[in-house]
């Protein structure tokens, strides 16, 4: 035993030389995921988010080979231990692929707040959950899931703004729905497996195509060309019968000119919430051609989803196991005996729906063609054509409904029926950009022209009513166009000016009737001017200061036009950002201050339309301001990435609308409660993220992710009885990453989510009314998230 101990002491006492390198492109930007091959041992490591890598060797001289698809391979002799060496890779032909997102993304020296998410991070964290859960760890961001486990319908908020205010692009093509501005990630399931990188911007940012970013921007770039053939299979399995299977094929570069890519995915889950099942199928395919000056990409991806509805939420009484409150819900909402039994017998995973086929069914097909040409060494032209075809329905069971509610000419008869509400739409257009570099400046001129054509209609499928036309039908047609000019000027070696002028216009026409038989006749158009200007100043090689002011304008959505009693106005935002970034040898620390001043922001007031849906109205003044702190520490043994967001989110002179239906519910009066200053709903004042990774060795890591989300109000009244409670959750992961003569990569991961079994809800809603002034009803509904759950993932690449 003593001999073993002495051998161990002797072994650990051998001197180790530490080598640190940073890999950048010709512009000085870090290259993430570059391959670092130690030639003497054939071991491979990769650069991190800062382009850095760390090596240990007993020798004082080592030879390495640095490579990355899109750049020319370089061989380096390392002879300076403990001194960081910068390695610059020259551009290769595949770098043209990045042009697809340059116009919609912030650069490293841009005066905006943003976070880049690399391909390696995506691959290590993709276990089947939607993209909101991949970007959940970025500052001022949190995600939610209707089914409770991140599969199916999911959502994300950035700085308190929901998905309708977050600009999302895929390869520079707008993804937000043209009418609702919503983002339905369930329609493009497992897009993460085809994502090469994601950038999350906060505030107005540098977004150009699509609607104005009122909370943030998510820019996704798909596809990656590899030098050699690649076959990859990945699978995840875990709690709630959740399974993800993905197969990827990449041809590599054929004759250094052609690349073919295919991905097939299937995701299934029973969900945490009762019956909240998901059956998701998707594929991604691309064909790319590269020459010395030109590249052409043909991309097609599609998703088909079938999810059991879990939109209703869980009553607060059910969450708290309060029998009296649950009986009040039963009485106030006219539950049948079956519905009452479902509520009383369920737990916090209660699902209001029990009909077997209460499902949402939708398919979305995307087609993109990107043409990129280097006119000269300093000038580039990029054109993209796109087309999206979406169609589907959700099916509902209606107990004791009246046929005359649907067709006036049918008998006034109440019975159980099944209806479907359909949406079929086409979205198509083009985007373009021209960039030119000068000695001390760069200009980018571009824009987009898009059209959207949609049919909304409904049908009764049981009983057979022998009526060919739908019981409601409306058409929508929307044109959306913009042109922008971006200009960067290096005023001095350390000071850079950024300007962006965008002119955007839209025309939106809707005709027909809505599902409540109300007439739709809308014809709106407007033109917006959205300027941005900012400065960055490098104090030295490690400290940078920046500041920017940006203006964004956006139009009301479909439901605002249809439901509002007062014609809605467009919203405006002035966004000011001030920041300081400090880079040190093993990490970075960044501080960002922001002020977001809204004019005529559309928010819910408590007023409802004819079918009980909330109506939004303009409020003259609202405001968000706060500070975002981020810190990254990266050593040979540890990687820590932390962020803290502190904010105040306020609305001024807010009027809440309530209805008094009288003691016999025969008529109603409107009651308004006025407030001087209150908190904006769903806007936590504190958000904390911490990623702690212990790199045991080159192959094994232990990770603890922690997230704290502060208290949020369910409406805009700051009422403590209508609150989403704060929560702290921790996820623990063990992951291995192996390379040998058989596999290019063998990755295995075990993750225990919500390891301390916290019971929390990440979303909800509230409503209230009077039945005479002596009878007040207030009901809160929540979306509980999964308690402790486990997921196993494996990925094999050859």
């Amino acid at each position: 035993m003593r001999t073993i101990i002495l051998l161990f002491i002797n072994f650990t006492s051998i001197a180790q030389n530490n080598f640190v390198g940073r890999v950048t492109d010709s512009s000085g930007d870090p290259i993430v995921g570059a391959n670092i091959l130690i030639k003497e041992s054939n071991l491979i490591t990769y650069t991190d988010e800062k382009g850095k890598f760390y090596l240990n060797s007993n020798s004082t001289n080592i030879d390495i080979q640095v490579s990355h698809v899109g750049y020319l391979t370089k061989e380096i002799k390392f002879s300076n231990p403990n001194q960081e060496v910068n390695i610059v890779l020259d551009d290769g032909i595949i770098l043209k692929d990045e042009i697809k997102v340059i116009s919609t993304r912030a650069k490293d020296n841009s005066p905006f707040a943003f976070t880049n998410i690399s391909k390696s991070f995506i691959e290590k964290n993709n276990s089947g959950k939607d993209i909101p859960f991949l970007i959940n760890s970025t500052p001022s961001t949190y995600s939610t899931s209707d089914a409770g486990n991140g599969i199916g319908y999911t959502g994300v908020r950035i700085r308190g703004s929901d998905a309708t205010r977050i600009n999302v692009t895929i390869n520079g093509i707008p993804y937000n729905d043209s009418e609702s501005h919503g983002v339905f990630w369930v329609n493009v399931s497992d897009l993460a497996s085809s994502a090469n990188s994601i950038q999350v911007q906060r505030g107005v940012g540098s977004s150009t195509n699509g609607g104005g970013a009122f909370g943030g921007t998510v820019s996704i770039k798909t596809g990656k060309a590899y030098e050699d053939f690649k076959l990859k299979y990945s699978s995840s399995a875990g709690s709630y019968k959740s399974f993800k299977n993905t197969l990827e094929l990449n041809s590599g570069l054929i004759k250094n000119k052609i690349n073919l890519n295919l991905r097939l995915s299937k995701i299934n889950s029973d969900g945490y919430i009762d019956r909240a099942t998901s059956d998701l199928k998707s594929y991604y395919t691309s064909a790319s051609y590269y020459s010395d000056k030109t590249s052409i990409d043909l991309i097609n991806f599609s998703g088909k989803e079938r999810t059991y509805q879990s939109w209703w939420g869980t009553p607060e009484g059910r969450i708290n196991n309060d029998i009296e409150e649950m009986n009040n819900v039963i009485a106030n909402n006219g539950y049948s005996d079956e519905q009452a039994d479902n509520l009383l017998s369920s737990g916090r995973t209660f699902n209001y729906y029990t009909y077997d086929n209460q499902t949402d069914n939708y398919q979305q097909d995307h087609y993109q063609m990107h043409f990129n040409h280097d006119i000269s060494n300093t000038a580039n032209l990029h054109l993209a054509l796109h087309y999206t075809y979406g169609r589907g329905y959700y099916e509902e069971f209606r107990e004791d409904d009246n046929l005359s509610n649907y067709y006036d000419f049918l008998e006034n008869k109440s019975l159980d029926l099944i209806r479907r509400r359909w949406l079929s739409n086409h979205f198509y257009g083009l985007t373009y950009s021209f960039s030119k570099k000068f000695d001390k400046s760069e200009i980018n001129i571009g824009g987009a022209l898009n059209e959207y054509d949609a049919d909304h209609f409904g049908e009764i499928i049981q009983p057979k009513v022998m009526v060919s036309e739908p019981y409601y039908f409306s058409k929508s047609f929307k044109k959306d166009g913009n042109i922008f000019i971006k200009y960067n000027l290096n005023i001095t070696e350390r000071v850079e000016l950024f300007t962006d002028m965008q002119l955007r216009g839209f025309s939106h026409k809707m005709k027909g009737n809505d599902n409540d038989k109300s007439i739709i006749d809308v014809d709106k158009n407007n033109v917006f001017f959205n300027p941005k200007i900012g400065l960055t100043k490098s104090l030295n090689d490690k400290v940078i200061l920046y500041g920017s002011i940006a203006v964004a304008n956006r139009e009301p959505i479909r439901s605002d036009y249809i439901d509002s009693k007062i014609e809605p106005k467009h919203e405006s935002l002035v966004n000011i950002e001030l920041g300081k970034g400090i880079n040190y040898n093993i990490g970075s620390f960044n501080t960002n201050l922001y002020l977001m001043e809204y004019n005529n922001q559309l928010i819910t007031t408590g007023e409802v339309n004819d079918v009980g849906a909330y109506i939004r109205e303009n409020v003259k003044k609202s405001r968000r301001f706060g500070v975002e702190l981020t810190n990254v520490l990266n050593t040979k043994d540890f990687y820590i990435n932390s962020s803290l967001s502190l904010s105040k989110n306020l609305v001024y002179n807010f009027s809440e609308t309530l209805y008094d239906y009288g003691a016999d519910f025969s008529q109603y009066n409107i009651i308004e409660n006025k407030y001087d200053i209150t908190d904006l709903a769903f806007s936590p004042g504190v958000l904390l993220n911490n990623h702690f990774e212990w790199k045991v060795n080159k192959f094994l890591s232990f990770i603890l992710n922690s997230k704290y989300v502060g208290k949020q109000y369910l409406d805009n009244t700051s009422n403590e009885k209508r609150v989403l409670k704060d929560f702290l959750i921790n996820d623990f992961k063990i992951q291995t990453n192996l390379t040998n003569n058989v596999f290019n990569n063998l990755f295995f991961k075990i993750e225990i989510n919500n390891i301390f079994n916290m019971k929390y809800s990440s979303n909800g809603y509230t409503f209230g009314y009077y039945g005479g002034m002596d009878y007040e009803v207030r009901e809160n509904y929540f979306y509980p998230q999964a308690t402790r759950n486990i997921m196993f993932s494996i990925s094999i690449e050859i």
Side-chain angles (χ1 to χ4, degrees):
M1 182 67 180
R2 182 178 301 173
T3 303
I4 295 174
I5 293 174
L6 289 173
L7 286 172
F8 177 76
I9 294 173
N10 185 59
F11 174 77
T12 55
S13 64
I14 295 176
Q16 292 279 305
N17 293 305
N18 299 315
F19 295 89
V20 182
R22 184 171 184 264
V23 182
T24 65
D25 60 19
S26 56
S27 300
D29 295 329
I31 299 175
V32 179
N35 297 301
I36 312 299
L37 171 66
I38 305 173
K39 300 184 72 174
E40 62 186 16
S41 62
N42 279 330
L43 292 176
I44 295 178
T45 188
Y46 304 92
T47 54
D48 60 22
E49 285 77 4
K50 294 293 183 181
K52 289 188 176 183
F53 64 90
Y54 304 86
L55 304 174
N56 294 315
S57 176
N58 299 328
S59 173
T60 57
N61 293 279
I62 58 173
D63 293 323
I64 65 171
Q65 178 179 287
V66 184
S67 63
H68 189 284
V69 173
Y71 300 88
L72 301 179
T73 300
K74 182 173 287 188
E75 294 188 357
I76 300 292
K77 180 179 287 294
F78 250 124
S79 57
N80 296 310
N82 301 313
Q83 180 177 342
E84 183 176 314
V85 174
N86 193 62
I87 302 168
V88 179
L89 295 187
D90 296 324
D91 297 351
I93 62 170
I94 305 175
L95 197 63
K96 295 182 180 67
D97 191 53
E98 297 295 325
I99 300 293
K100 292 195 291 248
V101 294
I102 284 179
S103 293
T104 56
R105 285 194 172 181
K107 297 181 180 180
D108 277 356
N109 58 345
S110 297
F112 304 109
F114 64 93
T115 302
N116 289 323
I117 300 175
S118 67
K119 175 73 172 177
S120 60
F121 178 90
I122 296 169
E123 289 180 332
K124 290 177 181 178
N125 291 275
N126 179 20
S127 56
K129 295 181 180 181
D130 281 342
I131 283 178
F133 284 81
L134 278 177
I135 66 176
N136 187 46
S137 60
T138 60
S140 298
T141 303
Y142 74 94
S143 57
T144 184
S145 165
D146 284 6
N149 66 329
I151 299 175
Y153 271 88
T154 59
V156 65
R157 290 181 180 271
I158 300 177
R159 290 185 179 173
S161 296
D162 66 13
T164 65
R165 285 179 163 83
I166 298 171
N167 178 279
V168 177
T169 57
I170 302 175
N171 299 324
I173 307 299
Y175 180 62
N176 298 67
D177 180 78
S178 292
E179 289 192 286
S180 70
H181 294 181
V183 179
F184 304 101
W185 300 105
V186 70
N187 296 333
V188 286
S189 62
D190 205 25
L191 182 65
S193 289
S194 296
N196 188 36
S197 64
I198 302 173
Q199 184 179 87
V200 181
Q201 300 177 26
R202 306 185 294 279
V204 173
S206 63
S207 61
T208 48
N209 298 330
F214 265 47
T217 298
V218 178
S219 169
I220 302 169
K221 179 188 171 294
T222 66
K224 182 176 181 180
Y226 293 86
E227 292 179 280
D228 301 313
F229 173 81
K230 171 186 169 184
L231 171 64
K232 180 179 179 182
Y233 171 72
S234 57
S235 180
S236 299
S239 301
Y240 321 116
K241 297 182 181 178
S242 299
F243 296 94
K244 178 185 95 73
N245 289 285
T246 302
L247 178 67
E248 298 176 72
L249 293 168
N250 194 297
S251 68
L253 279 175
I254 301 173
K255 296 184 178 180
N256 213 35
K257 288 185 178 296
I258 297 173
N259 177 255
L260 306 174
N261 188 16
L262 172 66
R263 188 257 306 164
L264 303 172
S265 300
K266 193 174 191 308
I267 300 174
N268 293 90
S269 178
D270 282 356
Y272 172 69
I273 299 299
D274 298 343
R275 298 175 295 282
T277 58
S278 296
D279 182 3
L280 314 177
K281 302 171 185 176
S282 65
Y283 71 82
Y284 177 96
T285 182
S286 67
S288 302
Y289 168 80
Y290 303 98
S291 69
D292 291 342
K293 292 183 176 296
T294 303
S295 66
I296 299 174
D297 294 286
L298 302 177
I299 299 172
N300 168 222
F301 56 98
S302 176
K304 185 176 183 180
E305 63 92 3
R306 178 182 174 87
T307 54
Y308 193 92
Q309 296 172 27
S310 51
W311 307 334
W312 193 271
T314 303
E316 186 173 27
R318 179 64 275 176
I319 294 282
N320 298 329
N321 199 28
D322 186 330
I323 302 297
E324 181 181 356
E325 184 57 34
M326 283 189 280
N327 283 322
N328 288 336
V329 171
I330 292 169
N332 292 332
N333 294 278
Y335 276 23
S336 66
D337 291 342
E338 181 183 359
Q339 291 170 326
D341 180 67
N342 178 36
L343 177 63
L344 294 170
S345 62
S346 300
R348 68 194 302 269
T349 60
F350 163 80
N351 190 340
Y352 174 80
Y353 302 110
T354 57
Y355 167 57
D356 287 343
N357 203 39
Q358 190 90 12
T359 56
D360 182 71
N361 305 263
Y362 199 79
Q363 181 170 340
Q364 199 171 70
D365 305 329
H366 297 256
Y367 303 88
Q368 299 180 0
M369 184 186 77
H370 296 265
F371 171 82
N372 184 69
H373 179 66
D374 287 335
I375 300 171
S376 68
N377 292 333
T378 59
N380 177 272
L381 175 67
H382 179 255
L383 300 172
L385 298 173
H386 67 89
Y387 169 64
T388 301
Y389 175 38
R391 67 277 191 197
Y393 64 89
Y394 64 90
E395 185 168 311
E396 294 181 306
F397 172 76
R398 301 285 295 175
E399 183 178 12
D400 200 26
D401 208 346
N402 199 311
L403 286 175
S404 62
N405 291 333
Y406 299 88
Y407 297 99
D408 294 333
F409 52 83
L410 291 181
E411 60 181 320
N412 186 9
K413 180 181 179 180
S414 294
L415 73 170
D416 295 346
L417 58 82
I418 300 171
R419 69 186 185 191
R420 287 179 178 174
R421 292 183 173 176
W422 283 83
L423 171 63
S424 176
N425 55 28
H426 305 267
F427 178 58
Y428 45 89
L430 66 91
T431 65
Y432 57 92
S433 67
F434 168 79
S435 61
K436 171 73 174 175
K437 293 182 179 180
F438 304 93
D439 289 341
K440 295 185 177 181
S441 62
E442 180 179 356
I443 191 169
N444 191 332
I445 302 173
L449 181 62
N450 304 302
E451 292 187 353
Y452 174 86
D453 189 354
D455 293 338
H456 302 259
F457 58 96
E459 62 179 354
I460 296 175
I461 63 171
Q462 287 186 18
K464 298 295 184 182
V465 294
M466 304 303 291
V467 180
S468 59
E469 67 268 17
Y471 69 87
Y472 75 90
F473 180 87
S474 67
K475 287 191 70 70
S476 296
F477 185 74
K478 185 176 181 180
K479 291 184 178 181
D480 183 306
N482 68 273
I483 184 170
F484 65 84
I485 300 176
K486 296 185 177 184
Y487 182 67
N488 288 34
L489 173 64
N490 293 319
I491 300 173
T492 68
E493 288 186 358
R494 294 192 177 274
V495 179
E496 183 174 358
L497 171 69
F498 170 90
T499 61
D500 180 353
M501 306 296 167
Q502 184 205 49
L503 196 66
R504 176 176 175 265
F506 79 94
S507 170
H508 196 177
K509 298 180 180 180
M510 293 175 275
K511 278 192 175 293
N513 60 317
D514 205 4
N515 52 51
D516 62 353
K517 295 185 180 180
S518 60
I519 302 299
I520 299 175
D521 187 4
V522 176
D523 187 353
K524 300 295 179 184
N525 57 78
N526 209 335
V527 176
F528 304 130
F529 177 56
N530 301 315
K532 308 166 190 174
I533 187 169
L535 279 172
T536 60
K537 178 178 175 59
S538 300
L539 298 183
N540 49 51
D541 292 338
K542 294 185 177 181
V543 181
I544 186 172
L545 303 177
Y546 66 82
S548 66
I549 181 169
V551 175
N553 294 274
R554 67 198 302 273
E555 69 274 19
I557 62 178
R558 170 186 167 87
S559 60
D560 295 327
Y561 288 126
I562 293 174
D563 294 331
S564 296
K565 296 179 180 178
I566 302 174
E567 182 172 323
K569 303 174 183 177
H570 76 270
E571 306 170 283
S572 298
L573 167 64
V574 177
N575 180 200
I576 299 173
E577 306 275 335
L578 296 172
K580 179 179 182 180
I582 303 174
N583 293 313
Y584 45 94
N585 290 337
I586 57 172
S588 63
F589 181 79
N590 294 279
T591 304
N592 186 72
L593 301 171
Y594 68 89
L595 170 65
M596 303 173 73
E597 197 79 13
Y598 296 88
N599 183 42
N600 287 327
Q601 185 175 188
L602 285 158
I603 65 174
T604 58
T605 64
E607 190 173 5
V608 296
N609 63 14
D610 293 340
V611 294
Y614 280 114
I615 295 173
R616 303 196 308 174
E617 290 189 0
N618 297 105
V619 291
K620 185 64 178 175
K621 181 180 179 181
S622 52
R623 173 182 296 159
R624 301 182 189 275
F625 61 95
V627 58
E628 297 161 333
L629 307 173
T630 60
N631 183 65
V632 176
L633 177 66
N634 194 358
T635 69
K636 180 176 72 72
D637 298 317
F638 298 101
Y639 175 70
I640 301 173
N641 191 335
S642 304
S643 68
L644 173 64
S645 303
L646 304 172
S647 66
K648 291 291 290 182
N649 307 275
L650 305 172
V651 57
Y652 298 83
N653 300 316
F654 172 70
S655 293
E656 177 194 26
T657 300
L658 291 175
Y659 292 84
D660 180 4
Y661 294 98
D664 58 358
F665 282 75
S666 60
Q667 57 184 5
Y668 69 86
N669 296 313
I670 294 178
I671 300 171
E672 286 193 0
N673 297 322
K674 295 186 177 182
Y675 302 86
D676 292 333
I677 303 176
T678 53
D679 295 272
L680 282 165
F682 302 106
S683 301
V686 181
L687 276 169
L688 174 66
N689 293 298
N690 188 58
H691 172 98
F692 176 83
E693 180 176 353
W694 175 29
K695 296 176 281 189
V696 180
N697 53 44
K698 296 176 181 178
F699 312 109
L700 177 65
S701 296
F702 296 103
I703 299 170
L704 179 65
N705 289 327
S706 303
K707 188 174 191 71
Y708 174 78
V709 179
K711 178 181 71 175
Q712 307 169 61
Y713 293 99
L714 293 174
D715 62 13
N716 301 291
T717 64
S718 297
N719 192 303
E720 296 296 331
K721 294 181 179 180
R722 300 190 282 278
V723 164
L724 266 173
K725 296 180 181 178
D726 63 330
F727 57 86
L728 171 65
I729 53 174
N730 295 271
D731 302 331
F732 179 70
K733 303 178 183 180
I734 303 173
Q735 63 185 34
T736 62
N737 203 344
L738 305 175
T739 302
N740 54 41
N741 293 329
V742 178
F743 303 111
N744 290 332
N745 185 271
L746 177 60
F747 176 78
F748 182 74
K749 178 177 66 174
I750 302 173
E751 52 185 311
I752 307 174
N753 299 309
N754 195 0
I755 190 169
F756 297 117
N757 206 36
M758 297 296 295
K759 294 182 178 180
Y760 71 102
S761 297
S762 60
N763 198 9
Y765 64 92
T766 185
F767 67 86
Y769 59 87
Y770 290 98
M773 293 305 294
D774 295 331
Y775 185 73
E776 181 182 1
V777 172
R778 285 283 186 177
E779 293 186 13
N780 299 331
Y781 287 75
F782 299 97
Y783 294 87
Q785 302 299 285
T787 50
R788 185 185 300 116
N789 62 95
I790 301 175
M791 207 74 179
F792 300 89
S793 300
I794 187 170
S795 175
I796 302 171
E797 181 183 322
I798 59 176

